[in-house]
Amino acid sequence: SYSVTGVQTCALPICVPFTLGRLYLLKSQPAKARPHFDSVIALRNDLPGLWVLRGLTFLQMDSLKLAENNFDQARQLFPDEPEINYYAGLVLSRQNNNSDAIPFYEKSLKAEPNSIQTMLALSAAYDEVRDHQKAEQLYIRMLKIRPELPVVLNNYAYHLATRNLRLADALTMAEKALQAEPDNGAYLDTVGWIHFQRGEYEKAVEYIEKSLKQRPDSAEVMEHLGDAYEKMGQSGKAMQLWQSALDRDASRADLAQKIKRLAQ
């Protein structure tokens, strides 16, 4: 699985609401943070970091439309601000609108060409729209900058695994990432999926089951585990997992076909 500026100075009258908003955001209480950031931006809308913090508040609230509107307004004020463009892309990606997200990521990366955060998001978006060559170029670029970073190793490995390419290299990278973070659910899923692609279904089940314990609401991990169970001849478990995955993410159209095929 693929696996994210604050305002450095604070002056009255924005200091108190800004500080309170930031504290609530850090405590994962976005509903309490929101009115404070709203009041700060009403007084000072010329600080891009404030728009970022309010956008992060909406993302914590899982209010993607509010987040999208926030960053749309911010882009009108700061069209070239890399962090604003990055989050504008991120919100669109969260809504499975990667084709529209890509230009924002690209603009952000042009301003900050060594941003691993932006390259990770952009490479995943390229893969989603099946522009695998551009994604590959970004992974190679990231490896040159941060060759030991677990998330880079994992995401490159998953990129290769989903295309059933260079599986030995992919497994080496994914295992290295997992060694650094052994309880990371995304990394466990990646290792499991590589084993699946190699036809090693028992190992695939072993790792993907561990991943699902870490990420029990992940439709992607449920689908992977269902795929592995089907290969093991456990069609009942496969059907149950696929249906649960589809219930959580109706956009996974291929799942409906798998369920129909297995039912027949």
Side-chain angles (χ1 to χ4, degrees):
S1 303
Y2 291 116
S3 321
V4 210
T5 182
V7 179
Q8 295 182 356
T9 59
C10 184
L12 292 173
I14 70 167
C15 188
V16 172
F18 165 74
T19 302
L20 286 171
R22 196 169 186 182
L23 284 172
Y24 282 128
L25 186 61
L26 290 171
K27 294 169 69 174
S28 298
Q29 296 179 306
K32 292 184 176 180
R34 177 188 176 178
H36 296 294
F37 288 132
D38 286 345
S39 65
V40 172
I41 285 178
L43 294 169
R44 291 288 305 272
N45 71 350
D46 60 333
L47 298 172
L50 290 175
W51 290 91
V52 170
L53 288 171
R54 189 171 73 161
L56 290 173
T57 298
F58 292 138
L59 286 171
Q60 254 192 35
M61 293 167 63
D62 202 27
S63 298
L64 295 180
K65 288 301 181 182
L66 289 174
E68 183 178 0
N69 181 62
N70 175 83
F71 289 113
D72 282 345
Q73 292 181 65
R75 283 192 302 104
Q76 301 305 312
L77 296 169
F78 316 102
D80 299 318
E81 178 65 32
E83 196 166 25
I84 297 292
N85 279 289
Y86 166 78
Y87 280 110
L90 182 67
V91 171
L92 290 168
S93 288
R94 294 264 184 98
Q95 298 176 82
N96 297 315
N97 191 357
N98 288 284
S99 59
D100 287 343
I102 284 172
F104 296 119
Y105 290 142
E106 290 177 334
K107 189 171 186 178
S108 179
L109 189 60
K110 186 176 181 180
E112 294 184 342
N114 289 328
S115 171
I116 296 294
Q117 172 180 256
T118 305
M119 281 189 273
L120 286 168
L122 180 54
S123 58
Y126 280 145
D127 272 334
E128 287 295 328
V129 300
R130 291 177 168 76
D131 196 341
H132 301 303
Q133 184 176 2
K134 286 185 179 179
E136 178 83 11
Q137 291 170 352
L138 281 176
Y139 284 119
I140 293 170
R141 185 169 156 188
M142 283 186 276
L143 279 180
K144 290 180 179 178
I145 299 171
R146 296 291 301 275
E148 302 298 321
L149 191 64
V151 67
V152 171
L153 293 167
N154 173 78
N155 288 18
Y156 190 14
Y158 191 65
H159 160 84
L160 293 172
T162 56
R163 299 168 65 203
N164 204 14
L165 296 174
R166 293 169 46 205
L167 295 180
D169 292 339
L171 186 59
T172 297
M173 288 190 290
E175 288 179 337
K176 191 171 184 179
L178 188 60
Q179 185 176 15
E181 300 179 25
D183 295 324
N184 189 304
Y187 301 175
L188 286 162
D189 179 62
T190 296
V191 173
W193 194 242
I194 294 169
H195 283 301
F196 178 90
Q197 296 287 54
R198 286 159 60 104
E200 299 161 354
Y201 302 123
E202 289 186 9
K203 285 187 176 180
V205 167
E206 175 188 347
Y207 282 97
I208 302 174
E209 281 182 340
K210 291 178 181 178
S211 175
L212 192 58
K213 288 180 180 178
Q214 299 293 332
R215 305 173 70 193
D217 295 322
S218 171
E220 180 180 46
V221 176
M222 290 177 189
E223 182 175 2
H224 285 171
L225 187 55
D227 291 350
Y229 277 139
E230 185 194 23
K231 292 293 186 181
M232 296 281 289
Q234 301 183 48
S235 58
K237 287 184 177 180
M239 180 73 82
Q240 184 178 14
L241 282 159
W242 288 342
Q243 187 61 60
S244 295
L246 189 60
D247 290 343
R248 282 167 173 76
D249 185 358
S251 70
R252 306 181 78 84
D254 60 321
L255 272 170
Q257 295 300 318
K258 289 180 180 180
I259 292 169
K260 182 178 179 180
R261 171 179 55 79
L262 192 60
Q264 291 175 344

